[in-house]
Amino acid sequence: MNGEPETGRGYLEERGWRSWAYTMDHKRIGVMYLCTTIAFFFIGGIFALLLRLELLSPQAKYFSDHAYNVFFTLHGAMMIFLFIIPAIPSGLGNFFIPMHIGARDVAFPRLNLASYWIFVAGFLVVIASLVSPMDTGWTFYTPYSAKTGAAVATLSFGIFLIGMSSILTGLNFIVTIHMMRAPGMTWHRMPLFLWGMYATSIIQVIATPVVGVTFLLLAMERIFGVAFFDPSKGGDPVLFQHFFWFYSHPVVYVMILPAMGIISEVIPVFSRKPIFGYKAIAYSSLAIAFLGFLVWGHHMFTSGMSPLANAFFSFLTFFVAVPTAVKVFNWIATLYKGSITFEAPMLYALTFIFLFAVGGLTGPFLGALATDVQLHDTYFVVAHFHYTMMGGTVMGFFAGLHYWFPKMTGKMLNEKVARIAWALVFLGFNVTFFTMFITGFEGMPRRYAEYLPRYHVENVISSIGSAILAVGILVMFWNFLQGIRKGPPAPGNPWRALTLEWQTSSPPITENFPEIPVVTDWPYGYGEPKGRTA
Amino acid sequence: MSQESTGSRRTYFIVYAALVALTVVTVLVSYVNLGLMNVVVALAIASVKASLVALFFMHLKSEDRLVWGFALVPLAFLALIIGGTLLDTMLR
């Protein structure tokens, strides 16, 4: 940004579509990302409900097997690539990283806007692939993906573009955090959300090119017949899995680390206590990012990989639990003897800890070689994944949306409705997915439209749970819309939080702060004398 | 960035000539049967070429430690994906 601001207009005041389409304001770009990704959350959610509808009956009743395959592929691909990866980093991250470090914008505002429009180009290509929709599952495994008549090359090109957008966003955030911090904002005075986002950005920049290259290789095999993965011509289908998971395992930390950052913000605010173990939480983000690159092979224990590689990846997998547990124990220590209040952001943050702990503790069953052979590709994996990603990341996202809603919109939410929605989401989620641990443990395989009658009761329970969950989410977003339309004006700092975004107006002015703040303290000194760092 | 910090025109031409020469070497070596070593030699030449591009054309030579860190750390991850994959494919 050049020079000091001349005006103090709210960032939402300018009207007209051009003011959004051409904006280089990180906050508006963040809002555009949020709206886009939430739209895909709903579309992906509709596919999930269609799956649950089909699974009400042991026999295929409503859709063909092919349609079922398409539904779970699109549910996975949209939720992963168009919602859960970009939602927190590109949406909330874009909005709050510059505000957290006391800057007026990101380091490269024009690149930021470009990354959004590349994302749009990517999802348009993904939508174009629906003329011959994918039925491979979101993992695109060869050899099937190299042979199916579905539009694999089109969809993978769309994801290639989305990946490019993700790299540009990560690059922008790394430079922003290094170069744009306000005077006095040392690394150890940064809010923990930033540490999570910094670790996330590094993964985005390092890992995403690998999946881009992998999809290019797949496209070359499909279009030009270059046999990278076809064993009949000297290729290796397991090689695809190596490349795919070298990206796709670290990327689960792209999903979860920003959510953990949100939890680290919400817990101390609503406990009115300094965060416990600031440095441990901060550096555990980097440790998770690093360790996440070492364990991709644990997705491939039944693929025919070498026994030594199996043992190696299984052994390393257990190390991921250490920095993850460091975070969870520090959050619990923060809660201890705090003056806890249960507003909606805190309810979702506590839900995150509970559900993520269940998801995390079921991980070792899949990381251990012996039990993974039994549980691989069963509903146990589906349950584990949803407990970590939906129970973790999405609950963290909901916590962030409720926490920052007053800042982003300048309006307060109806707290009572927010709590009702939370109760429905919590109940619906657990009814849906805890049941899947049981069906998976009993041996029901995933990705089939039909199943043995002995799994019927569990599947009906899961489907009922998914309906409750859907109602809860609809109530939550109805509350958001009502809040935007009719909510009472939000004060600058309704939660009495200490991070910098709360020290400016709600909604913020275009330039974020009337003057660049000078930071003299860490942002978690609740009930402490001023002037200390972590 | 000044001409001093990015190198002289003469340096660029020397680097360019080196890149062309190394490309010729790559092609020539491919005609010699060295078994598995063909891949090793080709990758070694490619690594030298990439280093020249990064050092001179991308000005890494005159950058500070932070930029060097960001340039080198991904190489460790590249080694990781190659090593981890070989652990499977060589011992399967």
Side-chain angles (χ1 to χ4, degrees), chain A residues 236 242 293 304-306 308 312, chain B residues 77 80 85 87-88 91-92:
Chain A
D236 181 357
H242 276 292
F293 278 98
M305 193 165 61
S306 78
L308 182 65
F312 176 76
Chain B
F77 288 95
L80 191 68
T85 306
L87 190 68
D88 168 31
L91 300 171
R92 202 181 293 165

Side-chain angles (χ1 to χ4, degrees), chain B residues 1-22:
Chain B
M1 204 173 264
S2 69
Q3 182 77 357
E4 262 174 52
S5 64
T6 58
S8 65
R9 188 172 294 185
R10 186 165 168 270
T11 311
Y12 287 142
F13 277 114
I14 292 171
V15 172
Y16 180 70
L19 291 172
V20 172
L22 286 168

Side-chain angles (χ1 to χ4, degrees), chain B residues 56-73:
Chain B
F56 294 98
F57 290 167
M58 298 175 79
H59 311 148
L60 187 60
K61 189 168 158 279
S62 51
E63 288 293 354
D64 60 18
R65 283 197 310 180
L66 180 65
V67 179
W68 269 94
F70 276 100
L72 292 179
V73 166

Side-chain angles (χ1 to χ4, degrees), chain A residues 120-286:
Chain A
V120 171
F123 82 63
L124 289 176
V125 175
V126 169
I127 289 169
S129 77
L130 296 181
V131 291
S132 178
M134 282 271 286
D135 58 350
T136 64
W138 76 276
T139 47
F140 293 65
Y141 275 5
T142 54
Y144 182 65
S145 63
K147 291 174 181 167
T148 174
V152 175
T154 313
L155 182 59
S156 50
F157 178 60
I159 293 171
F160 183 89
L161 290 174
I162 291 164
M164 201 168 147
S165 156
S166 181
I167 293 168
L168 296 180
T169 301
L171 185 73
N172 215 341
F173 289 169
I174 290 172
V175 178
T176 302
I177 293 171
H178 271 278
M179 309 302 290
M180 307 279 286
R181 300 196 308 276
M185 176 65 80
T186 59
W187 283 87
H188 290 153
R189 283 179 182 161
M190 288 200 317
L192 288 162
F193 178 64
L194 289 182
W195 281 93
M197 284 304 311
Y198 184 75
T200 301
S201 301
I202 288 174
I203 304 173
Q204 282 177 302
V205 171
I206 290 178
T208 313
V210 178
V211 79
V213 170
T214 309
F215 286 153
L216 280 181
L217 296 179
L218 179 60
M220 285 174 76
E221 178 150 337
R222 283 181 65 89
I223 297 168
F224 302 114
V226 185
F228 293 108
F229 309 118
D230 183 351
S232 67
K233 297 174 185 166
D236 181 357
V238 179
L239 192 64
F240 178 88
Q241 296 190 30
H242 276 292
F243 290 172
F244 181 82
W245 287 114
F246 186 81
Y247 163 78
S248 295
H249 190 75
V251 93
V252 301
Y253 303 110
V254 167
M255 304 174 204
I256 199 71
L257 280 168
M260 289 171 157
I262 292 171
I263 303 309
S264 298
E265 297 305 316
V266 171
I267 295 281
V269 171
F270 294 91
S271 304
R272 310 311 301 168
K273 262 189 69 188
I275 190 87
F276 188 89
Y278 172 94
K279 286 183 182 172
I281 295 179
Y283 289 106
S284 64
S285 295
L286 298 181

Side-chain angles (χ1 to χ4, degrees), chain B residues 5-53:
Chain B
S5 64
T6 58
S8 65
R9 188 172 294 185
R10 186 165 168 270
T11 311
Y12 287 142
F13 277 114
I14 292 171
V15 172
Y16 180 70
L19 291 172
V20 172
L22 286 168
T23 306
V24 173
V25 173
T26 307
V27 175
L28 292 177
V29 168
S30 72
Y31 288 103
V32 184
N33 188 1
L34 301 172
L36 259 182
M37 288 304 287
N38 272 112
V39 177
V40 176
V41 171
L43 282 176
I45 296 173
S47 303
V48 172
K49 287 168 69 180
S51 304
L52 288 173
V53 171

Side-chain angles (χ1 to χ4, degrees), chain A residues 34-54:
Chain A
L34 279 176
C35 293
T36 313
T37 52
I38 287 170
F40 282 105
F41 174 62
F42 276 92
I43 297 170
I46 289 168
F47 284 121
L49 290 174
L50 291 175
L51 296 173
R52 289 311 325 167
L53 178 69
E54 180 63 74

